Amino acid sequence: QVRLEESGGGSVQAGGSLRLSCSASGFTAGRPRPIVAWFRQAPGKDREGIVNMYLRTNETHYHDSVKGRFTISRDSANNTLYLQMNSLKPEDTAMYYCAHGEYGDDYMTGRGIRNWGKGVMVTVSS
């Protein structure tokens, strides 16, 4: 069973930076097209995918709202996924979740993805 655990959340002023980490364990070999992703859910809003990465090719896809400000990366040796968040805005305030799924899952809504971390809170003040 895949286990994911996020860390690095916190409070920051607008314009600041944070780096989230997601430690992963329990992967099994043989997944044809595994994908990792970061999602967020702001208070009172639906969960939204903000970036995903195809593990076999390192191809990445960013939501327009974070493009140019957030960067996904990974340390394969340590099974850790990162999200570097720069130029943070108050509208980035949300719970942030890492997720592991397959090609065909919905990386805009998270529908179909079975492996999730518990999330970390990011609060950006103006």
Side-chain angles (χ1 to χ4, degrees):
Q1 181 178 348
V2 175
R3 296 175 65 179
L4 303 171
E5 183 174 3
E6 303 92 340
S7 61
S11 297
V12 65
Q13 289 191 324
S17 299
L18 282 174
R19 189 176 79 158
L20 305 183
S21 300
C22 176
S23 177
S25 62
F27 290 115
T28 56
R31 294 174 177 263
R33 285 183 283 188
I35 298 173
V36 290
W38 287 95
F39 286 77
R40 68 185 180 187
Q41 186 167 18
K45 295 189 176 181
D46 292 333
R47 180 177 58 195
E48 64 174 357
I50 55 174
V51 60
N52 59 75
M53 174 188 283
Y54 287 40
L55 290 180
R56 298 206 184 279
T57 64
N58 288 326
E59 181 180 344
T60 58
H61 302 90
Y62 290 87
H63 190 278
D64 285 346
S65 64
V66 304
K67 198 174 293 183
R69 300 187 299 123
F70 291 11
T71 304
I72 189 172
S73 62
R74 62 174 174 147
D75 179 347
S76 299
N78 293 304
N79 285 332
T80 303
L81 184 69
Y82 299 101
L83 181 67
Q84 178 66 44
M85 305 185 295
N86 298 328
S87 302
L88 283 161
K89 305 175 181 179
E91 52 263 44
D92 294 318
T93 295
M95 282 291 288
Y96 283 72
Y97 301 88
C98 65
H100 181 276
E102 297 286 337
Y103 184 84
D105 295 332
D106 188 333
Y107 289 90
M108 293 185 67
T109 66
R111 199 170 295 123
I113 297 175
R114 292 183 294 176
N115 300 305
W116 295 88
K118 293 182 178 180
V120 290
M121 188 67 199
V122 171
T123 303
V124 185
S125 58
S126 57

